[in-house]
């Protein structure tokens, strides 16, 4: 059905399917070319939204909700925001280590 747009413009559903198909290995080497985009996207995201700033904003929102849901006359202290900078940093480092180990396992399976 003609939607009045050129055939080379894909909607979200089409582009997701095409991206998965092409990056799944059906075209040799294409997945390797796209491998640089993950780290680049992460670097750009952290540049735009530094982790410490993001955690501080999450904590501020936490306390805002605590205040909003406080019952009249309730003077108990709010529960502390559970995610410190140090805890999140350790989670990210662990994720990086596990991701690197998984990449090595995949490369070994593929004979790389």
């Amino acid at each position: 059905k003609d939607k009045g747009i050129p055939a080379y413009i894909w909607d979200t559903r089409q582009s997701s399917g095409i991206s998965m198909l092409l990056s799944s290995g059906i075209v040799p080497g294409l997945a390797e070319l796209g491998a640089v985009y993950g780290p680049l996207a992460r670097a750009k995201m952290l540049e735009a939204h530094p982790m410490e700033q993001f955690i501080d904003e999450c904590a501020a929102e936490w306390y805002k909700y605590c205040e909003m849901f406080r019952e009249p006359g309730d003077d108990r202290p709010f529960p502390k925001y559970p995610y410190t900078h140090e805890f999140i940093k350790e989670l990210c480092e662990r994720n990086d280590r596990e991701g690197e180990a998984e990449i090595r396992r995949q490369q070994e399976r593929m004979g790389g």
Side-chain angles (χ1 to χ4, degrees), residues 8 10 17 19 22 24 26 35 42 48 58-60 64 69 72 93 107:
Y8 59 84
W10 305 327
S19 174
L22 293 177
S24 68
I26 197 166
R42 182 180 186 188
C58 290
K64 185 174 111 180
F69 291 118
E93 289 170 354
Q107 288 172 338

Side-chain angles (χ1 to χ4, degrees), residues 18-68:
I18 291 167
S19 174
M20 285 190 291
L21 179 69
L22 293 177
S23 65
S24 68
I26 197 166
V27 178
L30 191 58
E32 288 83 12
L33 287 174
V36 298
Y37 295 123
L40 176 63
R42 182 180 186 188
K44 292 295 185 181
M45 190 269 308
L46 288 172
E47 181 182 322
H49 309 283
M51 183 174 54
E52 292 80 8
Q53 178 185 353
F54 179 75
I55 294 167
D56 292 344
E57 289 173 5
C58 290
E61 186 176 15
W62 169 276
Y63 291 115
K64 185 174 111 180
Y65 275 103
C66 287
E67 189 66 48
M68 189 168 50

Side-chain angles (χ1 to χ4, degrees), residues 59-104:
E61 186 176 15
W62 169 276
Y63 291 115
K64 185 174 111 180
Y65 275 103
C66 287
E67 189 66 48
M68 189 168 50
F69 291 118
R70 175 180 272 182
E71 294 288 331
D74 185 358
D75 61 352
R76 292 177 294 171
F78 297 137
K80 243 184 124 149
Y81 185 69
Y83 303 107
T84 64
H85 294 173
E86 296 77 24
F87 178 68
I88 296 300
K89 184 178 179 194
E90 174 52 37
L91 286 179
C92 290
E93 289 170 354
R94 187 174 83 192
N95 183 66
D96 290 346
R97 288 190 306 271
E98 290 172 1
E100 289 167 3
E102 179 60 27
I103 289 170
R104 284 193 297 278

